[in-house]
Amino acid sequence: MSNESHRRERAVILWPVLAVSVAMLVWMGRSLVTGQIPFTGDLLHWNYPIRDFFAGALARGQRVWWMPSIFGGFDVAGEGQLGVFHPMHWLLYRVLPLDRAFAIEMVLPYVVIFSGTWLFLRRMIGAAPAAFAAMLFTYSGFTLSHGVHMNMVAVVAHLPWLLWVIDRTLAASSTRARRQGTAGIALIVGSQLLSGHPQAVWWCGLLAGSYVLLCATASAASRSSLVAVMVGAVLGAGIGAVQLLATWLELQRSTRLGDDPAFATTFSLPPLQMLQFIEPYLFWGRILRWNEAPGAGDEFAAYAGAVSLALAVWWLAAGRLRRRTDTSLNRFAWWAMLLALFGLWLSIGRSGGLYLVQTWIPVISGFRAPVRYVLFTHFGLAVLAGIALWRLARLQAADAADARRALWAPWALAALSAAAAVWLTRGHHVPVASNAWVAAIGPAVFAAAAALLTLATRGFRPALTGLILLAAADQALYGLGGVIAWQDFVTRTQAEGYLDEPTVGIPTGDGRLARGGFPNLHVLAGYQLIDGYVGLTPKKALDYRSANALRVAGVHYANADFLDGTAIPGAVALGRDWFRLPEPLPRVRLVSRVQVAAQPTADIDLIDVETVALVTHPLSLSQAAPGRAVIRRDDPGEISVDVDAAGLQLLVVSESFDDGWSVDVDRVPAPVEQVNGDFMGVVVPSGQHLVTFRFEPPLYNIGRTVTLLSTGIALVLLVGLPGRSRRGA
C-alpha cells in the first residue's frame, strides 16, 4: 500500500475514529473536572463506599483488609470487588483525592481497551481499520452498560493486551522473545486476578484459549512457544495468588455457596430480547438503566451497534471477496464470527442448553448471569467490522461488482429491523410504551448503515467516514445516553443528603444501624451497619430481626425495611420508618456465664444476653461479678481493650467473628472464641490486662509471598537474566 493511500486512510478513517473516541471518553470522564460521583446503582451503593473506606484507611496507615462499617465488620479484601491487592489501586487512592481516583478507575479501562484492541489488530488489518474496531469494542453495549461494575470492565480491558502478547509469543523465533512473552502473559493475567472479578477472568481465559487453539492449528506454533504461553498463565496465577486465596476464603464463609443451582442461570438473556440486535431502542429504558423505570437493570444490553452488524453480514455475504483475501485473515474472521455466535448461544442461558455445561464445573458453577457472554459477541462483531472496513478501504475496481453483490445482506438487515419494530409494537411484545419515533430509530440507523455501505462499494470514500460517525453516534445514543451511570452525577454532599437518618435525629456515633435495602451509602456519613450490600455476602448465624440478636450486635436503630414487619418490643418510632431499639449492649464487655449453643439463631432468644454469652464449646469461668472493659483502640482490623477482670472471664466484642482474627492478652497469644453466633471474644485471667485483636489471615501472608515471588520471576524474565561477558575475540 502506497504512502498516499496510507495518508488517505488516516484522513478518512483514523482521525475521525480518534476524534469521536476522545469525545466520548471526555464525556465519560467529565467528573475528573467536576469532582462529582455517579448517582446510580452499584457505583454509588457499592463501589464508592468501599473505596471511601479504602482511601481513608490508606491515609491513616490502617489495615485495609477488614471493613468494620458494614455487616458488623467483614473481610473486604476477600470479597474482591475492591481489588485491595492491586498496586494501581493503592497508588490511585493513596496519592489522589477519592473522587478523582474513583473517576480515573472508572474511565481508565476504556483507554486500555481501545489501545490494546488497536495494538492487537493493527498487524492484521492496518492501523486505521484497527482503530475503528477498537472504537466499536471499547464503546460496545457490554462495556458501557457494565460501567457500574468497575472491576469487571477493568478485567475485560486486559483481554486485547493478553491476545496481543499471546500472538507475539506464539510467533516468537528466539528464546528471549518467548521468555518476554511468558512474562507479559503472567503480568497481564496476574493483574486481572488482582482486579478482583474471577468471572471476567474466566471469560478472558476462554477467549484467550480459543485464540491459542486458532494459532496453534493455523500456523503450527512451535512447542516451545505453546509452553511459554502455558507457563505464563501459571505464573500469572501465582501473581494473583494473594487475591485468589483471599477470595477462596471469603467464598467458603459467604452465602454464595449455598445458592440453589438455578442461581447460575439468573440473568439469562430472554430469547425475545435477542431482537435488541436489530431493534434496540424499543427496549430502551427497560433493558438499560436509562430512566430508572421498574425492571431497568445493568445486565441486558445486548446491542452491538448497527454499523458493526451491517459490516459483519456484508463481509460474510461477500464470498468471492473473502476468497481473494489472505487465508490467515479469513481464518481469523471465521474465529471472530464463531466467537460472536458462541457468545450469543451462551447468553440465553438455560434456553440454549450450552450454558448448563458450565454449571457442572466446580467453582465456575457459582458464576451467574449468562447474558454477560454477549461480551464474546460484541468482541467478535467488532473484529469482523474492522476486517470489513479494511476490505472496503482497499477495494479495487475489479472487486467492486462482488462488493455490490453482497449489499443484499445489510439491506436485508435494515428490512428485518423495520419488520421487528412493527411486530414488537403491534404485538405489545415490549414492556414499555413505544412512541413512533422510538420504533423508527433502529430501522433508520440500519438503513443509514446500508446506504453508506452502498456508497462505499461505489468508491465514495467519504462514506467510510460516514460509517464511523454513524457508529459513534449510535453507540453514544444507546450506551452513553441509555445508561444512567454516564449521565447522573452528584457531589458527595448531595449524595449524603439523600439519607433520611439525620432528619430523624440519629447520631453517627451512637451504635449500629439496621437499614435494609442497599445501605452502604450510609457509611459515607459515618454510620456503622449490621447489614450491607456486596457480591459475596457473609453468612450470619443470627436472625437480626430478633430483639436479642439486635442487642448483642449493638444495633441502636432499625428501619422498617430491615425489620420486614417484625415488631421489636420496646422500640420507639422516630419517623420515616425508623425505630430506636431498647437496651443495646456495649461494644465490649465482660461476662462470667456462658452456654454452649448448637443453634445460635434459636438459642439467642432463650438466654439473658446481658449476663450470658453463647459459645461453641464449654469454658470454665469464674462466677465473680463481671469486671470492666474499655476500648483503647478501635481501628479497621485492630481492636485493643483494657480489661479489669475479677476472675477468669470472657471478653465479648461485637465485631464479626472470622478465622483471620488473632488475639493476644498482654502480648501472649490466646485463642479467639466465637461468641453469640456471629461475634468474637477471648478468655482473660483475673486482673488488669491489655487485649489486642488483629485481623491478619495467615493465608494472606502465604498469598503475598507467592505473589511477590511470582512477580519477581516475571520481571526477571521480562528484562532478562544478567549475561556472562565473553573474553577474547
Side-chain angles (χ1 to χ4, degrees):
M1 190 175 182
S2 67
N3 290 335
E4 180 62 28
S5 298
H6 274 298
R7 283 195 292 271
R8 285 199 303 267
E9 200 169 272
R10 286 196 296 269
V12 174
I13 299 174
L14 182 60
W15 300 125
V17 165
L18 293 178
V20 295
S21 297
V22 169
M24 286 192 280
L25 188 69
V26 168
W27 170 255
M28 294 162 68
R30 65 193 183 279
S31 59
L32 269 170
V33 178
T34 64
Q36 295 176 311
I37 55 176
F39 188 67
T40 183
D42 285 349
L43 286 173
L44 184 70
H45 295 291
W46 182 355
N47 291 301
Y48 188 79
I50 62 176
R51 282 159 177 79
D52 173 68
F53 156 75
F54 183 58
L58 284 176
R60 294 186 293 269
Q62 298 169 338
R63 285 174 168 79
V64 296
W65 335 119
W66 184 263
M67 184 175 180
S69 48
I70 58 177
F71 297 116
F74 91 114
D75 182 358
V76 69
E79 199 276 338
Q81 303 295 315
L82 179 55
V84 160
F85 302 105
H86 201 294
M88 189 199 75
H89 291 185
W90 282 72
L91 181 64
L92 277 179
Y93 290 95
R94 186 67 182 87
V95 173
L96 297 176
L98 171 63
D99 297 339
R100 265 63 180 191
F102 189 77
I104 290 174
E105 187 188 354
M106 186 177 170
V107 174
L108 182 60
Y110 296 90
V111 179
V112 177
I113 292 174
F114 186 97
S115 56
T117 306
W118 176 79
L119 200 61
F120 173 54
L121 294 176
R122 67 172 184 159
R123 180 181 65 82
M124 289 175 270
I125 58 176
F132 174 67
M135 181 192 78
L136 294 178
F137 183 47
T138 302
Y139 303 105
S140 65
F142 176 90
T143 55
L144 292 181
S145 66
H146 284 289
V148 294
H149 303 133
M150 298 170 68
N151 59 329
M152 181 192 297
V153 180
V155 172
V156 169
H158 293 72
L159 171 64
W161 288 89
L162 180 60
L163 295 174
W164 175 67
V165 175
I166 288 173
D167 187 59
R168 290 174 62 87
T169 305
L170 292 177
S173 57
S174 70
T175 301
R176 181 182 180 185
R178 285 192 289 270
R179 281 202 306 260
Q180 290 177 333
T182 295
I185 292 167
L187 292 170
I188 292 170
V189 171
S191 178
Q192 287 182 306
L193 290 168
L194 293 175
S195 297
H197 201 284
Q199 184 182 27
V201 178
W202 164 250
W203 304 328
C204 294
L206 289 177
L207 284 166
S210 69
Y211 186 68
V212 170
L213 184 62
L214 170 73
C215 294
T217 56
S219 58
S222 70
R223 183 179 300 176
S224 299
S225 295
L226 291 172
V227 169
V229 170
M230 290 186 286
V231 170
V234 173
L235 191 58
I239 293 174
V242 62
Q243 185 62 66
L244 280 173
L245 291 175
T247 301
W248 175 255
L249 276 178
E250 187 65 14
L251 184 63
Q252 307 312 304
R253 54 200 177 211
S254 76
T255 59
R256 178 63 67 94
L257 284 181
D259 286 314
D260 185 89
F263 173 82
T265 56
T266 56
F267 294 113
S268 295
L269 182 67
L272 175 67
Q273 291 182 12
M274 291 173 68
L275 289 175
Q276 281 184 77
F277 281 94
I278 57 173
E279 180 46 278
Y281 294 97
L282 278 176
F283 295 91
W284 208 22
R286 294 284 179 166
I287 300 307
L288 297 181
R289 195 180 297 278
W290 174 45
N291 55 6
E292 296 290 353
D298 310 309
E299 297 288 356
F300 293 103
Y303 185 49
V307 172
S308 62
L309 194 56
L311 282 168
V313 298
W314 172 80
W315 170 252
L316 293 172
R320 291 186 181 180
L321 283 180
R322 287 202 315 275
R323 286 193 289 274
R324 289 195 290 272
T325 302
D326 180 72
T327 303
S328 61
L329 186 60
N330 274 332
R331 190 179 290 110
F332 182 66
W334 283 112
W335 171 75
M337 186 192 71
L338 289 174
L339 278 184
L341 294 175
F342 187 62
L344 195 59
W345 187 5
L346 284 169
S347 71
I348 59 178
R350 186 178 295 275
S351 299
L354 180 62
Y355 182 84
L356 297 179
V357 175
Q358 177 175 302
T359 65
W360 304 338
I361 306 173
V363 180
I364 304 301
S365 61
F367 297 152
R368 64 171 182 166
V371 66
R372 293 175 179 174
Y373 275 106
V374 297
L375 165 68
F376 291 22
T377 305
H378 290 179
F379 179 72
L381 287 176
V383 170
L384 279 174
I387 294 172
L389 192 75
W390 166 83
R391 198 66 180 85
L392 276 174
R394 305 181 185 198
L395 199 62
Q396 303 296 319
D399 298 327
D402 291 329
R404 289 194 292 271
R405 194 174 292 116
L407 288 171
W408 66 267
W411 282 110
L413 204 60
L416 282 174
S417 178
V422 172
W423 182 73
L424 287 169
T425 52
R426 292 187 177 179
H428 304 288
H429 294 291
V430 286
V432 61
S434 303
N435 297 319
W437 70 270
V438 175
I441 295 176
V445 176
F446 276 99
L452 288 167
L453 253 171
T454 301
L455 291 173
T457 60
R458 295 181 179 276
F460 186 63
R461 296 188 67 80
L464 300 177
T465 304
L467 284 168
I468 292 162
L469 298 179
L470 179 63
D474 189 23
Q475 289 175 305
L477 179 62
Y478 179 78
L480 296 182
V483 181
I484 202 171
W486 304 111
Q487 300 178 28
D488 197 358
F489 288 79
V490 298
T491 64
R492 177 177 176 140
T493 302
Q494 289 173 319
E496 293 177 18
Y498 284 92
L499 301 176
D500 53 11
E501 290 76 9
T503 65
V504 294
I506 298 178
T508 57
D510 194 8
R512 291 192 175 109
L513 308 182
R515 178 60 180 87
F518 302 94
N520 292 2
L521 185 60
H522 295 68
V523 306
L524 299 182
Y527 291 105
Q528 302 282 312
L529 299 158
I530 195 60
D531 56 333
Y533 170 56
V534 295
L536 295 180
T537 303
K539 294 176 184 174
K540 293 295 182 181
L542 300 182
D543 178 357
Y544 288 99
R545 289 171 298 179
S546 155
N548 274 357
L550 291 166
R551 288 188 68 194
V552 299
V555 176
H556 286 56
Y557 302 91
N559 191 277
D561 288 345
F562 181 88
L563 296 175
D564 193 25
T566 301
I568 303 298
V572 177
L574 299 177
R576 293 206 176 191
D577 293 328
W578 278 101
F579 299 88
R580 182 187 295 115
L581 303 181
E583 302 178 320
L585 296 177
R587 177 156 170 74
V588 296
R589 59 197 177 93
L590 288 167
V591 298
S592 55
R593 296 172 56 199
V594 296
Q595 176 179 315
V596 177
Q599 296 181 333
T601 303
D603 293 342
I604 197 73
D605 292 325
L606 304 177
I607 63 171
D608 177 3
V609 293
E610 197 161 346
T611 60
V612 181
L614 299 178
V615 292
T616 58
H617 59 94
L619 298 175
S620 297
L621 303 180
S622 168
Q623 297 304 305
R628 183 177 61 91
V630 178
I631 293 176
R632 176 187 291 191
R633 180 176 185 176
D634 196 354
D635 290 340
E638 185 166 353
I639 304 169
S640 295
V641 184
D642 289 311
V643 300
D644 187 358
L648 202 62
Q649 296 182 337
L650 179 67
L651 172 64
V652 180
V653 181
S654 64
E655 189 80 0
S656 294
F657 174 84
D658 188 287
D659 292 334
W661 283 104
S662 62
V663 63
D664 60 68
V665 180
D666 297 328
R667 299 187 178 181
V668 177
V672 179
E673 303 292 345
Q674 187 170 355
V675 181
N676 291 328
D678 288 331
F679 303 103
M680 64 180 180
V682 63
V683 175
V684 295
S686 176
Q688 296 181 353
H689 307 281
L690 175 62
V691 179
T692 302
F693 293 86
R694 292 184 180 86
F695 182 75
E696 193 75 33
L699 209 55
Y700 281 20
N701 294 326
I702 296 172
R704 280 196 292 266
T705 300
V706 175
T707 290
L708 291 173
L709 285 174
S710 300
T711 303
I713 293 170
L715 292 176
V716 168
L717 290 174
L718 186 65
V719 301
L721 294 168
R724 291 180 294 181
S725 61
R726 294 185 178 182
R727 293 185 179 181

